[in-house]
Amino acid sequence: MALRSTAHYFLEGLVELGVEHVFANLGTDHAPIIEELARWRQERRRAPRFVLCPHENVAIHMAGGYALATGRGQAVLVHVDVGTGNVAAGMHNLQRYRLPALVMAGKAPATSRGELVGARDSYIHYMQDVRDMPAIVRPYAKWEHSLDAGVVAKELLRRAQAMMESDPAGPVYLSLPREALTAQWEEADVASYPPGKYGPLKAGGADPDTVAALAERLLAAERPILVTAYAGRYREAPALVDELAQLAGIRVFEHNPIHLNIDRTSPCFGGFAPTEALAEADLGLLVDVDVPWVLKDRRENPATFWAQIDVDPIKQDIPLWDFPAEQRIQGSSARVLAQLVAALKARAGEAQRARSHGRIESWARSNAARREAVARAAAERGAKGALSAAYVCAEVGRAIGSDAIVLNEAVRNGGVVQDQVVRTRPGTYVGTGGGGLGFSGGMALGLKLAQPDRDVVQILGDGSFYFTTPLAVYAVAKQYALPIFTVVLDNGGWAAVKASTLRVYPDGAAKEAGEYQSMLARGIDLHKVAEACGAHAEAVDDPEALPAAIGRCLEALRSGRAAVLVARIAAH
């Protein structure tokens, strides 16, 4: 029988999982994999494509973007403990997005005197030998293991996939000792594990009696509301949310949306702040939402009946979570919503439909007022050197197509992006899922890789732009021909830091002195970083020049070049 290395069976295992891409930042620990890749090329075997990322932040978020578009977890390969540290914020984000990723890190060799192939042969191997390397990312990993013997390589990989893609999905972590990767095994000893027997478990629908009871409550409600953030992870969910809302006369709010969850031109869409509606609601639906409102701002009405439909209703990775729900349904929100729509259709008579229609018509005035306020904000263009963020976002929204995917990492201007860059189609909006800034660059690249025919537009602040590791982002964009359009709202620093200080100390010493430790250096040509990588890049500080600048960026994008526009908005 033929002898092959663990690295060979490792690559075979990735192929059997259906992994198409390995987003990699490589080091001395990966020599056996690099050698095996070269051997596979000689043998004309097809391995997963290795996408080389100059920084791990780009690698982990590219995997996230790809999973967001396809639902399939990809592989991330990083360098020992330091690479693990560099993916920690990204793993935090993917955990909060509930996105699968197989994160793997090489491990420093354990032998020092040449006892095994792959033993320590460099000074750095001693420096990389640390205690409990997985602990760096343990709070963010659904599962962790170490590939200590090649005979179980495929078994461990299939287990990793089952864990990362089972609902609720999330990242997993596997360490790869170098000597283990070089060890030789006979082909007959390394078994495969088919997905039909060892694959992931997906969320399903709800008990029909439970659905029927909730449908009856909805039909009896006078002022029902629905709050959601990530139901749109299922492409069919936005239409179901809208259909449910129109059938039962439900006002729908998106709070800190991660996806588009309803056509934002729907007559049932009430905006992004459910706070005012809480006081009068007699029934509330929480559908795939982590933080439906901020409890400090508004307490719920104790008389409201709350039902929750969520892939993760108990919020297993949030130690303190205390929102109300008399009825909790764990499952796929798309399936449960479809059941609920069917139940309502079977029960709602003409009188009920008329009541729902009347409620929807009663919201027309407030919907119009909200749209008018958004239009007024966009009409205030600002001044030279201090453009209005609303004007910039409105112009971007007008210029891009309805099918363009918009990533919103504008933080303090995130609400402006939501208002002004109106999205109506499923899969065209990505909001901030976690607390690790810098996600949008790598995630935009991953989305573009998965959907090359779609325009991908990243809108963020200058503070977030630093965190994206922009040199690495645009280097990858160039090397792999992944043109994305980046709009930087440059207000000179961290507006969120200032706002947080004022919320805690509204009349404190910081306000009196005007000192918030939030101003970054002004006058830096942030776009030059992208220009160095061959992207089209420019800055604009004149309201009159903005539309033409956006047009040039989109022209470059359509020609296959990444584009970066830095808009100098009013300082925070």
Side-chain angles (χ1 to χ4, degrees):
M1 297 293 290
L3 284 172
R4 294 281 194 168
S5 72
T6 298
H8 167 83
Y9 298 115
F10 167 80
L11 291 176
E12 275 195 342
L14 291 179
V15 171
E16 290 177 11
L17 297 188
V19 169
E20 300 156 289
H21 301 280
V22 179
F23 302 100
N25 186 280
L26 300 175
T28 59
D29 41 323
H30 302 128
I33 296 172
I34 295 168
E35 175 68 12
E36 200 58 47
L37 282 169
R39 192 186 311 278
W40 274 42
R41 281 192 291 273
Q42 291 174 355
E43 296 175 357
R44 299 184 183 278
R45 288 174 172 264
R46 186 172 182 179
R49 183 189 189 192
F50 274 61
V51 178
L52 304 183
C53 301
H55 195 281
E56 296 88 348
N57 184 59
V58 174
I60 184 68
H61 287 115
M62 282 192 75
Y66 199 91
L68 194 68
T70 66
R72 300 189 298 274
Q74 301 299 296
V76 178
L77 184 59
V78 299
H79 182 44
V80 293
D81 61 316
V82 290
T84 300
N86 278 346
V87 296
M91 286 185 68
H92 159 91
N93 286 337
L94 266 57
Q95 181 197 60
R96 295 312 190 199
Y97 278 103
R98 297 173 180 84
L99 289 172
L102 171 54
V103 181
M104 300 172 291
K107 190 175 180 182
T111 55
S112 303
R113 293 177 171 84
E115 300 95 327
L116 298 173
V117 177
R120 295 181 184 185
D121 57 20
S122 171
Y123 159 86
I124 202 64
H125 290 152
Y126 291 85
M127 300 300 103
Q128 292 165 347
D129 187 8
V130 300
R131 295 186 300 275
D132 199 8
M133 186 172 74
I136 299 168
V137 293
R138 188 167 291 140
Y140 317 126
K142 285 185 69 179
W143 172 92
E144 65 178 71
H145 215 290
S146 177
L147 178 56
D148 295 323
V151 71
V152 296
K154 295 183 181 182
E155 182 179 7
L156 275 181
L157 287 172
R158 181 63 73 186
R159 178 62 174 165
Q161 184 193 45
M163 291 298 293
M164 71 175 174
E165 291 189 353
S166 290
D167 285 325
V172 297
Y173 183 81
L174 180 64
S175 53
L176 308 172
R178 193 165 82 157
E179 295 103 326
L181 289 171
T182 65
Q184 301 281 311
W185 303 86
E186 289 191 356
E187 289 183 347
D189 293 333
V190 183
S192 294
Y193 292 80
K197 292 183 177 180
Y198 303 96
L201 176 66
K202 294 297 187 180
D207 172 68
D209 291 341
T210 301
V211 173
L214 182 54
E216 293 290 349
R217 283 189 175 275
L218 277 170
L219 291 174
E222 296 289 341
R223 296 172 301 280
I225 65 170
L226 186 155
V227 187
T228 183
Y230 57 89
R233 65 201 289 266
Y234 305 104
R235 293 299 171 92
E236 64 271 33
L240 288 167
V241 169
D242 201 6
E243 186 176 9
L244 176 71
Q246 302 223 26
L247 275 170
I250 305 171
R251 196 82 157 125
V252 178
F253 299 90
E254 292 184 303
H255 190 241
N256 195 51
I258 296 173
H259 301 275
L260 180 130
N261 305 286
I262 185 172
D263 178 344
R264 290 172 184 166
T265 62
S266 166
C268 294
F269 180 58
F272 303 100
T275 313
E276 296 304 318
L278 293 174
E280 295 186 354
D282 59 350
L283 186 146
L285 283 177
L286 305 180
V287 180
D288 278 348
V289 58
D290 286 331
V291 185
W293 65 88
V294 177
L295 289 166
K296 185 175 180 292
D297 294 343
R298 176 61 65 92
R299 302 292 175 87
E300 71 279 4
N301 181 347
T304 306
F305 178 88
W306 289 97
Q308 183 186 18
I309 301 168
D310 206 306
V311 71
D312 180 20
I314 203 66
K315 309 301 174 187
Q316 61 188 26
D317 292 312
I318 303 177
L320 177 62
W321 192 87
D322 50 358
F323 291 90
E326 282 89 348
Q327 183 178 28
R328 299 187 194 276
I329 301 173
Q330 183 166 15
S332 157
S333 61
R335 292 192 178 188
V336 178
L337 288 170
Q339 289 177 283
L340 199 50
V341 165
L344 285 173
K345 285 181 175 178
R347 288 166 171 77
E350 288 302 318
Q352 171 60 39
R353 293 175 188 274
R355 286 174 58 214
S356 296
H357 182 69
R359 267 203 299 269
I360 294 169
E361 284 192 328
S362 73
W363 303 325
R365 183 175 296 178
S366 63
N367 287 345
R370 189 178 69 252
R371 289 192 295 269
E372 288 166 7
V374 169
R376 284 195 301 273
E380 296 293 331
R381 303 194 307 172
K384 188 174 176 62
L387 277 68
S388 153
Y391 169 60
V392 174
C393 292
E395 289 297 317
V396 170
R398 276 192 276 270
I400 63 175
S402 60
D403 201 41
I405 302 168
V406 174
L407 294 96
N408 180 358
E409 196 178 11
V411 191
R412 286 295 293 171
N413 283 306
V416 176
V417 177
Q418 290 170 174
D419 284 337
Q420 300 292 346
V421 188
V422 179
R423 301 287 85 196
T424 60
R425 299 186 181 183
T428 58
Y429 179 85
V430 181
T432 301
L437 286 181
F439 76 87
S440 58
M443 197 167 276
L445 293 171
L447 285 163
K448 184 66 176 179
L449 180 65
Q451 301 170 102
D453 296 331
R454 303 279 294 276
D455 286 344
V456 181
V457 182
Q458 167 200 14
I459 306 176
L460 72 171
D462 54 313
S464 298
F465 185 74
Y466 284 106
F467 281 102
T468 62
T469 58
L471 186 60
V473 167
Y474 301 107
V476 171
K478 180 178 182 179
Q479 183 171 356
Y480 296 98
L482 298 171
I484 59 174
F485 177 25
T486 302
V487 179
V488 181
L489 303 175
D490 183 2
N491 64 3
W494 301 320
V497 172
K498 176 181 176 181
S500 175
T501 304
L502 288 171
R503 286 197 302 272
V504 179
Y505 303 103
D507 298 305
K511 180 179 180 180
E512 183 179 352
E515 296 177 359
Y516 301 101
Q517 306 302 320
S518 61
M519 294 298 295
L520 301 177
R522 293 289 275 178
I524 293 180
D525 291 329
L526 297 173
H527 58 291
K528 296 290 186 181
V529 175
E531 193 174 76
C533 299
H536 173 85
E538 56 182 294
V540 61
D541 62 1
D542 186 344
E544 294 289 343
L546 179 65
I550 293 171
R552 289 189 294 272
C553 287
L554 290 174
E555 184 179 352
L557 191 72
R558 309 278 157 69
S559 72
R561 293 173 67 197
V564 176
L565 178 64
V566 176
R568 296 196 169 115
I569 64 174
H572 73 275

